[in-house]
């Protein structure tokens, strides 16, 4: 598939089939992102956890914790359907402050600068994952409306706050 075809084929999915993406394809896309997605000084300031989202109770809890519009109650806003995918990629930041600053002894970037770089790199990685899956004919959906990042991390078994989900 040509790159322009991948760009045209990408869309956000709101309904999901129950079959999971084969592990080999997930591994292939992960390796592509790791090897080719840009990262400042190759620090890769994020972690991506692969979540099996087929357990109905856990899936319901994740969905409930990803309430889209806080102006509405849960009866009106039913949550974010992107997290109903059978597999989720959960993005969280990885502490690379030491690596970022160890060679900058005179002028160090402020914490907000480091945080901005982390967020930009998570976005670059997310787009790389989305296009990698799209090129293989796999639907994706994106969710950042995680209302309890620490609680979500506990629920999915991660040791860091969850910042972003991609459903596949």
């Amino acid at each position: 598939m040509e790159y322009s075809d991948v760009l045209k084929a990408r869309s956000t999915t709101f309904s999901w089939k129950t079959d999971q993406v084969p592990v080999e394809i997930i591994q292939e896309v992960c390796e592509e992102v790791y090897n080719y997605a840009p990262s400042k000084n190759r620090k890769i300031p994020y972690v991506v956890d692969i979540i099996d989202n087929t357990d109905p109770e856990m899936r319901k809890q994740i969905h409930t914790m990803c309430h889209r519009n806080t102006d509405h109650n849960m009866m009106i806003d039913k949550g974010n359907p992107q997290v109903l995918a059978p597999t989720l990629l959960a993005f969280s930041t990885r502490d690379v402050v030491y690596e970022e600053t160890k060679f900058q002894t005179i002028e160090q970037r402020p914490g907000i600068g480091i945080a901005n770089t982390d967020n930009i790199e998570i976005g670059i990685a997310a787009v790389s994952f989305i296009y990698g899956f799209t090129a293989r004919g796999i639907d994706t959906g994106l969710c950042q409306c995680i209302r309890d990042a620490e609680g979500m991390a506990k629920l999915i078994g991660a040791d860091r706050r969850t910042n972003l989900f991609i459903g596949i």
Side-chain angles (χ1 to χ4, degrees):
M1 188 181 274
E2 293 289 322
Y3 183 67
S4 62
D5 295 331
V6 174
L7 293 174
K8 293 172 190 171
R10 194 221 60 83
S11 65
T12 299
T13 300
F14 295 94
S15 64
W16 302 96
K17 296 178 182 175
T18 56
D19 38 328
Q20 292 185 289
V21 175
V23 172
E24 299 79 21
I25 293 177
I26 295 171
Q27 180 70 33
E28 188 177 284
V29 174
C30 285
E31 288 175 8
E32 286 177 4
V33 172
Y34 178 78
N35 287 321
Y36 303 115
S39 177
K40 184 179 185 300
N41 298 327
R42 292 296 293 155
K43 291 194 179 66
I44 307 174
Y46 55 86
V47 174
V48 181
D49 291 301
I50 316 276
I51 309 301
D52 178 339
N53 196 30
T54 56
D55 175 78
E57 186 54 39
M58 182 170 149
R59 189 174 174 172
K60 180 181 178 183
Q61 289 178 18
I62 290 172
H63 188 239
T64 302
M65 293 170 80
C66 292
H67 185 69
R68 292 179 295 190
N69 187 340
T70 55
D71 290 345
H72 297 103
N73 65 35
M74 291 297 288
M75 297 307 293
I76 296 170
D77 179 352
K78 303 288 187 189
N80 194 320
Q82 282 84 7
V83 297
L84 296 175
T87 304
L88 298 173
L89 305 181
F91 290 75
S92 56
T93 55
R94 184 173 73 87
D95 184 1
V96 294
V97 172
Y98 172 74
E99 290 82 4
E100 177 72 19
T101 59
K102 69 182 175 182
F103 299 115
Q104 293 177 287
T105 57
I106 296 171
E107 178 188 2
Q108 292 194 359
R109 290 191 311 136
I112 189 68
I114 293 168
N116 285 341
T117 300
D118 293 352
N119 290 331
I120 289 167
E121 290 205 28
I122 286 173
I124 290 169
V127 167
S128 299
F129 273 104
I130 288 169
Y131 286 134
F133 287 116
T134 300
R136 290 161 177 84
I138 297 166
D139 294 328
T140 60
L142 193 64
C143 173
Q144 190 181 11
C145 56
I146 301 162
R147 300 298 172 207
D148 179 3
E150 286 82 13
M152 185 66 76
K154 288 178 189 171
L155 177 63
I156 65 173
D159 62 355
R160 319 154 280 293
R161 338 172 2 109
T162 306
N163 301 91
L164 175 72
F165 280 123
I166 294 178
I168 59 172

